Amino acid sequence: MLELRLVQGSLLKKVLESVKDLVTDANFDCSATGFSLQAMDSSHVALVALLLRSEGFEHYRCDRNLSMGMNLNNMSKMLKCAGNDDIITIKADDGSDTVTFMFESPTQDKIADFEMKLMDIDSEHLGIPEAEYHAIVRMPSAEFARICKDLSSIGDTVVISVTKEGVKFSTRGDIGTANIVCRQNTSVDKPEESTIIEMNEPVSLTFALRYMNSFTKATPLANSVTISLSSELPVVVEYKIAEMGYIRFYLAPKIED
Amino acid sequence: MQRQKSLLSFFEKS
């Protein structure tokens, strides 16, 4: 038996919107730790890892570890039927081939349940070791989204370079080139608007902008984004989900042949 | 010419 009650139901709606274009089908894993997902896109270039810790739920009952295969497009269709202020409860019985999403309006005057069919998915779980990164950039998530969107109108790839000068995002395309440099900026009053660059050594890596733009669909989940870079490692783009966990996107770099 | 690396060349299946 599984019953997870999330008062801030809009978080789950936002999570789905940020992953459904990257991954079609995925297993949601439920354990004492929390509600999690790890899935790769079909070309094995990008991976999403989600964790919503059990403590973040108002009620969290998971009698035994359960993996539920869901079509994310269908799940998104159902969650779109929940109001932004609704409380969402996820329910499943052991051995059942369905999951139920229950939506309660804040005033309890409307209660809806949507039952969705589960599916068997051959999951390819990857072991992601802890790594030391050459550089970690934290910046406003909206600023990062804006940069990715702007650069994708010029080129297909972005070179992210971190030096002691700052972090540079560069692209080139048929019509020309673009470079955007963000310098460390901790002087602003609001910490979520600051840009913080931790650099152990300079690093420069190339990534497909198509994926970066897809990751930025998680922007509504967090004011800040953290970009961790190391040469010859996938970049990690992380959005912290307040008091609950995170959504992390891993993207393999492009290399010169 | 640039080549897209796969995640599978960095991480192992568990």
Side-chain angles (χ1 to χ4, degrees):
Chain A
M1 168 96 187
L2 172 139
E3 199 169 282
L4 320 178
R5 182 176 157 95
L6 183 62
V7 173
Q8 209 183 335
S10 59
L11 280 183
L12 195 60
K13 286 163 70 81
K14 289 175 187 170
V15 162
L16 254 288
E17 290 315 294
S18 60
V19 298
K20 76 176 170 64
D21 293 339
L22 193 66
V23 177
T24 313
D25 303 316
N27 282 318
F28 282 85
D29 297 313
C30 202
S31 70
T33 311
F35 192 61
S36 64
L37 169 152
Q38 192 207 80
M40 275 188 285
D41 81 302
S42 56
S43 55
H44 294 169
V45 169
L47 178 144
V48 55
L50 164 78
L51 174 65
L52 299 175
R53 289 187 196 92
S54 51
E55 305 89 83
F57 291 82
E58 190 208 40
H59 170 71
Y60 191 93
R61 179 179 171 187
C62 176
D63 296 344
R64 61 187 183 90
N65 291 358
L66 196 63
S67 188
M68 296 184 289
M70 303 197 208
N71 174 286
L72 299 190
N73 202 34
N74 293 345
M75 187 179 174
S76 163
K77 281 181 191 170
M78 295 208 163
L79 293 181
K80 275 186 177 165
C81 300
N84 280 331
D85 300 327
D86 282 2
I87 298 163
I88 298 182
T89 304
I90 304 169
K91 288 198 252 189
D93 289 321
D94 288 344
S96 170
D97 59 356
T98 61
V99 59
T100 299
F101 302 108
M102 190 172 90
F103 310 142
E104 294 168 71
S105 67
T107 49
Q108 304 284 312
D109 53 358
K110 182 179 166 193
I111 296 171
D113 59 83
F114 288 67
E115 191 181 82
M116 189 178 84
K117 290 175 189 160
L118 294 175
M119 55 199 296
D120 284 325
I121 299 166
D122 287 330
S123 65
E124 292 179 300
H125 222 264
L126 296 187
I128 301 172
E130 286 287 317
E132 286 280 317
Y133 286 91
H134 291 160
I136 299 174
V137 177
R138 199 181 90 199
M139 64 190 296
S141 59
E143 183 66 47
F144 178 62
R146 173 74 198 263
I147 290 169
C148 291
K149 180 169 166 280
D150 287 350
L151 293 187
S152 61
S153 66
I154 314 287
D156 296 329
T157 60
V158 58
V159 181
I160 305 179
S161 310
V162 183
T163 63
K164 60 182 189 315
E165 306 301 319
V167 54
K168 183 167 80 169
F169 302 88
S170 311
T171 194
R172 64 174 59 242
D174 293 341
I175 63 166
T177 63
N179 296 291
I180 300 169
V181 178
C182 297
R183 294 206 170 87
Q184 174 143 303
N185 170 18
T186 53
S187 61
V188 289
D189 297 337
K190 296 175 186 168
E192 67 268 21
E193 287 176 12
S194 60
T195 296
I196 296 165
I197 299 165
E198 288 172 40
M199 189 194 77
N200 295 320
E201 53 183 287
V203 60
S204 183
L205 287 161
T206 304
F207 301 99
L209 272 167
R210 183 166 68 86
Y211 288 100
M212 284 291 180
N213 266 313
S214 175
F215 303 163
T216 63
K217 293 199 169 137
T219 304
L221 282 167
N223 289 322
S224 295
V225 61
T226 306
I227 306 157
S228 303
L229 298 143
S230 201
S231 53
E232 300 296 313
L233 263 186
V235 63
V236 190
V237 178
E238 180 181 71
Y239 296 84
K240 288 235 187 304
I241 302 172
E243 290 151 28
M244 286 213 76
Y246 57 77
I247 186 160
R248 290 178 187 150
F249 299 98
Y250 295 80
L251 177 60
K254 290 191 148 207
I255 54 159
E256 289 296 333
D257 248 348
Chain B
M1 192 59 196
Q2 287 180 328
R3 186 166 55 85
Q4 175 66 63
K5 295 269 280 183
S6 162
L7 284 175
L8 301 175
S9 59
F10 298 101
F11 302 141
E12 287 185 12
K13 288 182 188 177
S14 61

